[in-house]
Every structure is written in structure tokens, then in C-alpha cells.
């Protein structure tokens, strides 16, 4: 078989990873009300989201290093196999603790399954224009899966049970593993012969887990414990930096942090991703818990965003060429701001159609921001740093989502416990769990449904406010940079026109 056909088959297999990622996120978000209701875990919502993202975060640089030492082929197959195992164990979870542990395992696998393909694209497509096209197709694949995911997830939950949403990943994972095993040929290993920075890896993983644990415990344990864990985590992270300064092949090279353009890409990724995850996680729950919509309709709220994300991602190359990177990010962040603002203004009376309309704005923002920043990370990094820069970008996005998912969970839990306490025994956490699922909500006393929905609304509203604050911060960073770049480019454009 000629090399071009091999490249196409490998690319197709890796693109299936994007389909799995897009489908898993939207299917699970749609099924979360049924899962938390069945396993009595509404108060663990923050943990369900955060532990998966924690696995994504802490394992990401380790998978890229495994690729450098053992080969991207072995790294991808190992990661996707772990993702598959996690999916099967989630489908068979007998309780919420089992489910959370399996979700964490799936997140660890997902970090490599989602990161390694972008490293391989840079290897298979050294031409930046061709690579940008492939990244656009990858984004489109993610968007298409995101369109199918809510419909499929809602239909599966309503027709069978939430357990089956995880089995969807099984055949796709098997196909990708098989194709990569047969047709992908590892290039020379970049870090072959160099000692593995095991100490740096351990310090990084333990520091991140400690910091994330501290964030998760906010509101559920003493402030002193939270502060102690956070300080320990930061000390360990500083130790990792010190170790990496001396390591021959550091987990995260310090030279990345002296690249100004790359650092700006990372900062924007962190802030914007921390904001938009609130929409994809809590809007389906808002529709089901407050509007009383089914799981199927809750999933539909995500479809307009998937469609507009698909469309806007295809517009990035043209927009980038005409207005520049920072204006594209400005437009994207502004669109996400509109999506949250519309929901905040309408409040508890937000109709279903408005969720869909605001979802369309959110999708435009995500499609624009992801594509332009993903391409920028790989073009702003030195050639030797493309794998670790790609990995670090993914790590920072995952970490920001993990931290904010924990914060959003704390925000929601504070209102849930406050509402339960204020009801003087009339409302319990178990009842709120039932309210979050349309199928069990009709078992609740009708007189208590309005105050229970009020409790949920206040929690979701506060999450939206937090997300708006983050997106405003991103706009305050990027808008001045957009004008500065435009002004600095004007003399050159003027001279060339003359």
C-alpha cells in the first residue's frame, strides 16, 4: 500500500477519536440527570464532571512523553484502550462511587486519545495549510458527533436506559485501535535514549491532583484543610519546575513559558474554556430540572451550538487571513458572552427556544476560538516543541475546565443545601435528585415542585454569572490586543497598497 493511502487511513482513524470525544461529551451531558437520579448523586455532579476532567488534565503530558519515548502508536493504542475500559465499567456502575472511579479512568484514557492525534497531524502534515485543513475537518467531525450525540443520548435514555450511552463508544474505539495498529508507522522516537523524567512526572501529577482536590473540597470541609492542600500542591508544582530545570528531557520544558505568543494562546484557552463548559454541562440540566423537559429535549439544546460550531470552524482560515487571530478570538468570545447574557436576562422564565438560540451563539464562539487557537499553538511553538506545546495546551484547557467544574459544583451544592435547610424538612436532596430527571419528577408532590425549581434555578443562575465574569475577563485581554495588532499592521498595509 502506498504512503498516501496509509496517511489517509490513519487520519480517518484518528478523526474517529474526535467523533468519540464529541459524542461522549454530549451524550453524557444529556444522560447526567438520569444518571444522578438513578444513582442518587446530584450532590456529586461536580465530582462526576471534575474527575473526568482531572484524568484528562493530569495524564495529558504523560501521554505525549510516552509518545516521544515509546512512539505515538503505542501511546494512542494504550490511551484508547483505557478509554474503552472506562466506558464499559461506567455502563455497569452499581453506585455513584463506582461510576466516578470509572469516569476518572475514562478521562485518563481520553486525554491521550484526544491529544496524540493532534501531535500526529503535525507529523503527517508538515505543510501548515494542509494541517489547518485537517484540523478543520477534525473540528467538523467533533461538531457532527455533537449534533448526533444529544439526539442519540436522549433517545437512548428515554427508550432504554442511561447505561447504554457508554456502549456507543465500544465499536468506534475498536475500529480506531485496529486501523492505527495496522497502518500507522512510528517515526523515529524524538526522545529515544534520553532518561525519562520520572520525578518531574510524579511531582506534576501529585501536585495537580492535590490542587484539584483542594478545589473540590471548597464548601464541604474546613477552609484550613483547603488552604493546606492548595499550598502543598503549589509547593509540589514549584518542585516540578525546579526538577525540570535540570532534567535532560523535562516533562514540560521551561522554554515554552518564554514564548510570549504561545503564552497568550494558553491564557485565552484557559479562560474561555473555563467559561463555556458551564453552558454544555448545565443548560441540558436546566431544561430538564426547571422546564421539565425530557432527556431527549435536554439534548436538543446542544444541537444548535454543534451546527454553528461546525460552520464557524470552517470560516476560521478566511477570517484569520482577513482580520487576524485576535479579532477571531474576540468575535468568538463575544458570541459566548451573548449566549450567557441572554439566559441570565430571561432568568427562570427562559423558554426552551431561547436555550436553543443562545446555544447557537455559544457554538459560533467555540468553533472560532478552538480552531484559531489550536492552529496558533502549533505555529507559535518551535518545531521541536510542537508535541509538548500541543499537549500542554490540552492540559491547560482540561485543567481550567476541571477547576471550574469543581467551582460550579460548589456553587450549585451551596444553593441546594441552603434550599433544603430553608425548607425545614419539606424538601430533601433525594427529592431534588428526582426533580432533575423528567421521568421521576412527576412522582414529587405538586405543591413542592415550584419551590424546588426555584432552588435549582438559583444554583444554575449563579453558575451562569460566574461564567460571564470569566468571558468578560477574556474580552478585556483580547480586545485591546486586537486593536494594537490592527494599528501596527496599518502602515505595512498602507505601504504595500501604495
Amino acid at each position: 500500500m502506498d504512503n498516501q493511502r496509509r496517511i489517509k487511513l490513519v487520519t480517518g482513524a484518528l478523526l474517529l477519536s474526535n467523533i468519540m470525544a464529541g459524542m461522549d461529551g454530549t451524550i453524557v451531558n444529556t444522560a447526567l440527570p438520569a444518571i444522578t437520579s438513578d444513582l442518587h448523586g446530584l450532590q456529586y455532579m461536580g465530582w462526576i464532571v471534575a474527575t473526568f476532567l482531572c484524568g484528562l488534565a493530569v495524564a495529558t503530558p504523560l501521554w505525549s512523553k510516552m509518545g516521544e519515548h515509546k512512539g505515538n502508536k503505542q501511546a494512542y493504542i494504550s490511551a484508547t484502550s483505557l478509554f474503552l475500559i472506562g466506558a464499559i465499567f461506567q455502563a455497569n456502575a452499581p453506585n455513584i462511587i463506582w461510576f466516578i472511579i470509572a469516569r476518572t479512568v475514562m478521562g485518563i484514557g481520553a486525554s491521550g486519545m484526544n491529544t496524540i492525534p493532534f501531535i500526529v497531524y503535525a507529523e503527517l502534515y508538515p505543510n501548515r495549510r494542509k494541517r489547518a485543513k485537517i484540523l478543520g475537518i477534525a473540528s467538523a467531525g467533533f461538531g457532527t458527533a455533537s449534533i448526533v450525540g444529544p439526539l442519540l443520548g436522549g433517545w437512548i435514555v428515554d427508550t432504554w436506559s442511561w447505561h447504554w450511552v457508554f456502549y456507543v463508544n465500544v465499536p468506534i474505539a475498536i475500529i480506531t485501535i485496529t486501523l492505527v495498529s495496522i497502518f500507522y508507522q512510528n517515526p523515529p522516537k524524538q526522545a529515544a535514549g534520553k532518561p525519562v523524567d520520572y520525578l518531574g512526572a510524579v511531582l506534576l501529577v501529585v501536585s495537580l491532583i492535590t490542587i484539584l482536590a483542594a478545589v473540590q473540597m471548597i464548601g464541604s470541609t474546613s477552609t484550613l484543610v483547603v488552604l493546606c492542600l492548595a499550598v502543598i500542591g503549589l509547593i509540589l508544582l514549584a518542585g516540578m519546575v525546579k526538577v525540570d530545570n535540570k532534567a535532560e528531557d523535562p516533562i514540560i520544558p521551561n522554554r515554552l513559558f518564554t514564548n510570549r505568543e504561545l503564552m497568550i494562546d494558553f491564557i485565552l484557552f484557559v479562560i474561555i474554556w473555563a467559561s463555556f463548559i458551564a453552558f454544555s454541562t448545565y443548560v441540558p440540566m436546566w431544561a430538564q430540572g426547571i422546564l421539565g423537559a425530557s432527556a431527549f429535549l435536554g439534548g436538543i439544546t446542544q444541537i444548535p451550538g454543534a451546527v454553528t460550531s461546525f460552520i464557524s470552524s470552517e470560516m476560521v482560515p478566511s477570517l484569520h487571513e482577513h482580520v487576524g487571530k485576535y479579532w477571531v478570538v474576540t468575535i468568538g468570545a463575544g458570541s459566548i458572552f451573548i449566549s450567557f447574557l441572554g439566559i441570565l436576562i430571561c432568568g427562570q422564565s427562559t423558554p426552551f427556544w431561547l436555550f436553543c438560540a443562545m446555544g447557537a451563539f455559544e457554538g459560533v464562539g467555540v468553533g472560532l476560538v478552538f480552531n484559531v487557537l489550536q492552529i496558533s499553538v502549533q505555529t507559535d511553538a518551535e518545531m521541536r516543541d510542537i508535541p509538548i506545546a500541543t499537549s500542554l495546551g490540552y492540559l491547560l484547557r482540561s485543567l481550567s475546565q476541571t477547576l471550574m467544574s469543581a467551582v460550579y459544583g460548589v456553587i450549585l451544592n451551596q444553593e441546594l443545601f441552603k434550599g433544603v435547610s430553608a425548607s425545614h424538612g419539606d424538601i430533601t436532596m433525594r427529592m431534588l435528585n428526582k426533580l432533575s430527571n423528567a421521568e421521576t419528577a412527576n412522582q414529587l408532590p405538586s405543591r413542592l415542585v415550584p419551590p424546588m425549581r426555584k432552588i435549582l434555578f438559583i444554583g444554575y443562575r449563579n453558575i451562569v454569572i460566574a461564567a460571564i465574569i470569566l468571558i468578560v475577563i477574556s474580552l478585556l485581554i483580547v480586545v485591546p490586543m486586537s486593536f494594537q495588532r490592527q494599528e501596527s499592521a496599518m502602515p505595512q498595509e498602507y505601504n504595500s497598497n501604495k
Side-chain angles (χ1 to χ4, degrees):
M1 181 180 294
D2 64 83
N3 192 49
Q4 286 301 314
R5 287 193 64 189
R6 286 182 181 274
I7 288 176
K8 288 180 180 178
L9 284 170
V10 172
T11 301
L14 297 178
L15 289 172
L16 286 175
S17 297
N18 297 97
I19 292 174
M20 277 194 289
M23 191 171 291
D24 176 73
T26 52
I27 283 182
V28 173
N29 285 343
T30 303
L32 276 178
I35 294 169
T36 54
S37 176
D38 187 30
L39 300 180
H40 307 295
L42 182 61
Q43 66 269 36
Y44 295 101
M45 173 59 66
W47 280 98
I48 292 172
V49 178
T51 52
F52 178 79
L53 294 175
C54 180
L56 280 174
V58 300
T60 297
L62 306 185
W63 288 118
S64 67
K65 279 300 172 185
M66 180 180 178
E68 292 180 15
H69 284 268
K70 301 293 184 182
N72 289 324
K73 181 176 184 175
Q74 287 78 2
Y76 177 80
I77 292 172
S78 300
T80 306
S81 298
L82 203 58
F83 178 89
L84 177 59
I85 292 169
I88 293 172
F89 274 83
Q90 278 178 98
N92 293 278
N95 55 60
I96 193 66
I97 302 302
W98 178 297
F99 182 87
I100 289 173
I101 293 171
R103 189 80 182 141
T104 305
V105 171
M106 192 178 187
I108 293 171
S111 66
M113 186 191 76
N114 293 340
T115 306
I116 297 296
F118 288 99
I119 297 173
V120 175
Y121 295 148
E123 168 210 321
L124 296 178
Y125 301 94
N127 181 281
R128 291 181 179 180
R129 283 187 172 272
K130 289 184 179 180
R131 195 192 317 160
K133 184 177 180 181
I134 294 300
L135 291 178
I137 295 172
S139 180
F142 185 94
T144 302
S146 299
I147 295 171
V148 176
L151 293 174
L152 183 62
W155 179 74
I156 288 173
V157 171
D158 291 340
T159 305
W160 296 321
S161 73
W162 61 264
H163 304 78
W164 286 92
V165 302
F166 297 101
Y167 288 125
V168 175
N169 294 304
V170 174
I172 303 175
I174 291 173
I175 291 171
T176 63
I177 290 171
T178 303
L179 289 174
V180 171
S181 298
I182 296 172
F183 297 109
Y184 179 51
Q185 299 176 345
N186 272 321
K189 299 176 183 61
Q190 184 174 331
K194 295 182 180 179
V196 178
D197 182 19
Y198 290 113
L199 180 57
V202 170
L203 288 172
L204 176 64
V205 170
V206 176
S207 66
L208 292 178
I209 291 175
T210 305
I211 291 170
L212 293 173
V215 174
Q216 272 294 333
M217 292 180 181
I218 296 174
S220 62
T221 189
S222 69
T223 304
L224 181 61
V225 172
V226 172
L227 288 174
C228 286
L229 285 174
V231 170
I232 291 170
L234 291 173
I235 291 172
L236 291 172
L237 197 59
M240 186 273 294
V241 172
K242 187 175 181 179
V243 168
D244 277 3
N245 280 333
K246 300 177 181 178
E248 184 178 345
D249 182 32
I251 289 292
I252 301 176
N254 292 336
R255 62 179 176 270
L256 292 179
F257 302 103
T258 62
N259 185 329
R260 182 177 180 273
E261 290 293 320
L262 194 59
M263 288 304 299
I264 293 171
D265 296 337
F266 288 155
I267 290 170
L268 291 173
F269 254 146
V270 164
I271 299 173
I272 296 174
W273 252 241
S275 174
F276 104 86
I277 194 177
F279 195 100
S280 61
T281 301
Y282 289 100
V283 163
M285 296 191 67
W286 185 318
Q288 294 175 71
I290 296 177
L291 299 185
S294 65
F296 181 80
L297 289 176
I300 285 179
T301 62
Q302 302 299 292
I303 291 178
V307 173
T308 54
S309 178
F310 177 93
I311 295 170
S312 63
S313 65
E314 294 298 304
M315 297 167 58
V316 166
S318 177
L319 283 172
H320 193 180
E321 182 180 347
H322 287 89
V323 301
K325 173 175 69 177
Y326 292 116
W327 271 116
V328 175
V329 176
T330 298
I331 296 169
S335 186
I336 296 173
F337 173 77
I338 291 171
S339 69
F340 283 119
L341 187 63
I343 294 173
L344 183 64
I345 290 173
C346 290
Q348 190 170 351
S349 60
T350 303
F352 182 81
W353 67 266
L354 187 65
F355 280 124
C356 294
M358 294 302 100
F361 279 100
E362 181 261 348
V364 169
V366 172
L368 291 176
V369 171
F370 173 79
N371 255 29
V372 73
L373 289 182
Q374 183 63 50
I375 293 170
S376 294
V377 164
Q378 293 191 336
T379 55
D380 291 338
E382 298 177 30
M383 183 62 67
R384 60 174 175 165
D385 289 331
I386 286 178
I388 189 60
T390 303
S391 173
L392 183 57
Y394 195 89
L395 165 64
L396 292 173
R397 292 200 305 274
S398 300
L399 189 59
S400 70
Q401 288 181 311
T402 306
L403 289 170
M404 282 312 299
S405 291
V407 172
Y408 294 145
V410 169
I411 292 172
L412 177 60
N413 283 340
Q414 283 183 336
E415 292 304 326
L416 294 180
F417 290 125
K418 187 186 298 183
V420 169
S421 176
S423 71
H424 303 294
D426 289 342
I427 298 172
T428 66
M429 189 63 68
R430 183 177 291 270
M431 294 168 70
L432 288 170
N433 274 291
K434 286 187 175 183
L435 182 66
S436 65
N437 185 353
E439 291 188 1
T440 57
N442 56 14
Q443 302 171 9
L444 297 168
S446 57
R447 67 180 182 85
L448 293 178
V449 170
M452 290 170 66
R453 284 180 172 163
K454 182 68 175 180
I455 293 171
L456 282 181
F457 162 71
I458 294 173
Y460 295 151
R461 181 202 62 190
N462 292 347
I463 289 171
V464 169
I465 292 172
I468 286 178
I469 292 171
L470 286 171
I471 208 69
V472 168
I473 292 172
S474 73
L475 286 168
L476 290 174
I477 293 172
V478 76
V479 170
M481 298 186 70
S482 302
F483 283 107
Q484 287 173 8
R485 293 304 171 93
Q486 188 179 46
E487 289 173 3
S488 63
M490 285 179 63
Q492 184 179 356
E493 294 169 1
Y494 175 77
N495 292 331
S496 62
N497 289 336
K498 287 180 70 177

